[in-house]
Structures are given as structure tokens and as C-alpha cells.
Amino acid sequence: MNTDERPFVPKGSHPIETGRYLLPTNEIVRMHDTVTQWIDNRTPGGMIYGRPRIGKSRAINYLMLDLPSEFGENLPIYKMSCRKYKQPSENSFFEDLLNDVGHALPYSGKANLKRDRLFNFFLERAERAAQKRIILFIDDAQRLHEIHYDWLMDIYNELDNDGVSMTVILVGQEQLIHQRSSFIQSKNAQIIGRFMVHEYKFIGIKNISDMATCLSGYDNISEYPEGSGWSFTRYFFPEAFKQGQRIESCAEDLFSVITNLKAEAGLTKSTEIPMQYFTLTVEYAMRRFGVNGEDVEWLNRAHWKQALINSGYIKAEAYQDVV
């Protein structure tokens, strides 16, 4: 369905208002190509690292939706989010893993039973899908301790003995690189060889081209309600959209506003805009200045400046410059 009548969306439920949506970026495309190669080569593991709030977790979610189109709809692909504990616990580790992969019984039994349950779950899923492989993303992987890798290696080896290849993709902050250096010094070749040989640095928006690609998603790829033909830009700026305005064309203005505000704040580090602050900026601009808000004719630099300041980006960058 594609209609000229603006669809009714209950207040507060549009993805721009909830923040629950995924759009590809240049960096996600580059990361996708790298991870696809790792999986295609049946690589045991690799690291994806970058500064906080840069968009790594959203990128994982996007890949989890997209990778099955590359490797088959039944690709067994899972994500574990690392919790922070005072001391590593085998019981908690396998409990968290079972819970995050969606096992029906994550909490019952001792640690060894949970480990066996996880192994059997992975084995059954790999054989059911005829893929003979398991893909596991581990988010906030900088929280893992050496013993966690030993437990992961046990699962990897057991699956390998049954003809199932497992690819573990560690996603986290730059501490991952320091952890690998520590493992090199302590001659932990097994951990490095299994999970840390390959690496990819995930970066934020660095130039106008990157920004334009991100903004174009709001014009072209986004749609809500599904099947309505109404992109996010069209929904919040229907008249401007009808007249040919696209938010992608604001890339130069927004990037200029960022550059100027950084200069005014005395921030000297090269520009690398985390996706968290970029999306907060765009969402604020659409909510505040779109048809549901002030209903301005179209966005200008003053609007983008207000939206960017509201996102907290400049304050966050000031902190980054200090540390």
C-alpha cells in the first residue's frame, strides 16, 4: 500500500519517537563485508572494537538480520551481552549464554549441566539448519576474563569434534586490543589463535559522505507503517518531501554545524561522530521541527545546531578530549 494520505500513527509509537529502528551506514556496510569474509572462511573468531556509543551494538543487530540472506535463512546466529561481575563464574557465564541464545532452561542445574545443555543446543541447531556452523556475537566483550575464553574454547572444541564450526565475534571497546597484547605477553597462543587473530576497527561518521549516506536512510530505506510508502522524512516533513526536499541534502549543513561547535568548544580531536549522538540529533530535529512539532518549512543550520546541542554530543566530546 502506498497512499498520499499521511498514515495515522499513535503518539509516541513512531520509530523516530521510540528509537527502535535500524538503518545501514557506510561503516556497517564495511563491517558487513569483513564479517561475511570471516564467516565464509569459517574463521574461529575475530574482534570488532571501537570507542563507546559508536554504534557497534546497533551494527550487530543489523548484521544478525542481514547475514541470513548471505548464508541461508536458517543460519544459527546468536548474540550474548556480557554482564559485569566482580568475579568470573562458570555458572553465571553459561547461564547468561543460555538465556541470551533463547534456551528454554537457562537457570536449572549446576555449571557442568548448563555447559552440556549449551553444547547440545548449538549442535542441534547447527544440524537442523544443515549449516554445520554456529555464529556467536559477544557484545561488551572487553568484560571477558581469561577463564571465560577457556570456557568458550571448550565449547568450540566439542563442536569441532562433532563437525560443527563455530565463529565467535568479539565486539567491544578498545580494551580488547590491550587484552590481546596481555595474552601475547603471557603466551596464551590458544586464545589468540581461536578468537583474536582477525580484527576490525569500527569507526563513527568522519566526513560529509558518511553523513549523507546515514541521512539518506531516513529518506529512502526507512518506512513506517510497514508497506505505507511513508519514509521517516516524508512522515515528519510531508509538504517539504512533496516539494522534493530530502534530509540527505542537509549533510553539509549538519557537518558544518558540528565542525563549528567543536571549534567554539576548543575540541581538537579529529571528528568521529558516534551513531548514538547522530541518531539523537536527527530524531530531535524531526520531532521538534517536523509536522508534529513546530512544523517548520524545512530544516536549516539553526535547527541542526539546537538538535546537536540537545543530543549531548559536544559535552561528550569534551570529556573524550580530557581522557
Side-chain angles (χ1 to χ4, degrees):
M1 180 181 66
N2 191 338
T3 176
D4 289 334
E5 183 179 352
R6 187 171 183 260
F8 170 74
V9 176
K11 185 177 180 180
S13 64
H14 193 281
I16 286 295
E17 297 169 314
T18 65
R20 300 186 65 84
Y21 61 91
L22 295 171
L23 295 175
T25 66
N26 284 342
E27 186 60 15
I28 287 178
V29 171
R30 288 189 286 264
M31 175 177 159
H32 170 275
D33 292 343
T34 299
V35 171
T36 297
Q37 185 177 18
W38 292 350
I39 295 173
D40 196 46
N41 294 338
R42 294 184 181 267
T43 300
M47 300 186 301
I48 297 171
Y49 65 94
R51 57 183 286 191
R53 296 174 296 280
I54 206 74
K56 301 182 295 296
S57 295
R58 282 198 176 199
I60 295 172
N61 294 336
Y62 186 88
L63 289 183
M64 291 182 69
L65 292 173
D66 189 67
L67 285 174
S69 66
E70 299 271 346
F71 297 96
E73 292 300 319
N74 292 324
L75 175 71
I77 178 169
Y78 303 100
K79 180 179 79 169
M80 174 194 182
S81 297
C82 288
R83 282 76 167 172
K84 190 172 183 178
Y85 296 105
K86 289 183 179 180
Q87 294 293 333
S89 160
E90 187 176 15
N91 187 67
S92 296
F93 180 67
F94 285 111
E95 190 172 282
D96 289 343
L97 255 174
L98 285 166
N99 184 60
D100 286 356
V101 302
H103 196 282
L105 297 171
Y107 304 115
S108 64
K110 296 182 178 180
N112 62 322
L113 296 177
K114 292 174 182 175
R115 181 184 58 199
D116 291 345
R117 199 176 300 136
L118 180 69
F119 163 73
N120 289 324
F121 177 85
F122 280 159
L123 182 63
E124 188 270 335
R125 289 299 188 276
E127 291 179 341
R128 181 195 294 180
Q131 292 276 339
K132 286 292 184 179
R133 72 168 91 211
I134 292 289
I135 313 300
L136 177 63
F137 287 95
I138 300 183
D139 199 10
D140 280 324
Q142 75 277 356
R143 292 176 173 174
L144 293 176
H145 295 259
E146 180 178 335
I147 189 65
H148 289 128
Y149 290 105
D150 290 335
W151 297 330
L152 275 173
M153 207 169 340
D154 288 342
I155 295 292
Y156 175 93
N157 291 336
E158 289 177 22
L159 288 170
D160 187 58
N161 289 337
D162 280 88
V164 174
S165 61
M166 183 180 187
T167 298
V168 177
I169 301 173
L170 307 170
V171 182
Q173 298 177 23
E174 295 184 350
Q175 290 99 305
L176 278 173
I177 296 296
H178 304 315
Q179 288 174 352
R180 183 175 66 178
S181 298
S182 176
F183 291 148
I184 291 173
Q185 291 177 358
S186 61
K187 302 188 185 302
N188 250 313
Q190 279 194 320
I191 292 176
I192 296 168
R194 285 286 193 277
F195 308 118
M196 293 181 160
V197 169
H198 301 281
E199 66 177 77
Y200 182 88
K201 184 174 182 180
F202 192 89
I203 61 176
I205 299 169
K206 288 200 164 188
N207 52 54
I208 293 174
S209 175
D210 285 345
M211 183 161 287
T213 299
C214 294
L215 290 172
S216 70
Y218 294 89
D219 297 325
N220 305 310
I221 300 173
S222 61
E223 183 184 54
Y224 193 83
E226 186 176 349
S228 67
W230 282 72
S231 69
F232 295 175
T233 306
R234 185 185 181 191
Y235 180 80
F236 283 91
F237 296 95
E239 288 303 316
F241 191 90
K242 187 177 181 180
Q243 297 301 319
Q245 295 282 18
R246 297 295 182 268
I247 203 168
E248 179 182 1
S249 66
C250 296
E252 188 172 343
D253 279 351
L254 177 53
F255 202 85
S256 177
V257 166
I258 291 168
T259 302
N260 292 339
L261 283 177
K262 285 186 64 181
E264 290 174 13
L267 302 176
T268 58
K269 287 186 178 179
S270 59
T271 297
E272 182 184 1
I273 307 159
M275 283 303 297
Q276 174 178 322
Y277 299 110
F278 170 78
T279 55
L280 286 173
T281 298
V282 176
E283 290 160 10
Y284 180 93
M286 288 189 166
R287 294 194 317 269
R288 179 65 181 266
F289 305 117
V291 69
N292 290 350
E294 296 182 16
D295 195 14
V296 303
E297 185 175 342
W298 188 236
L299 295 166
N300 59 35
R301 291 194 180 194
H303 300 134
W304 284 119
K305 181 178 181 179
Q306 183 176 334
L308 185 70
I309 292 172
N310 183 78
S311 76
Y313 169 68
I314 297 300
K315 289 183 178 179
E317 287 299 287
Y319 174 74
Q320 285 289 330
D321 258 26
V322 171
V323 297

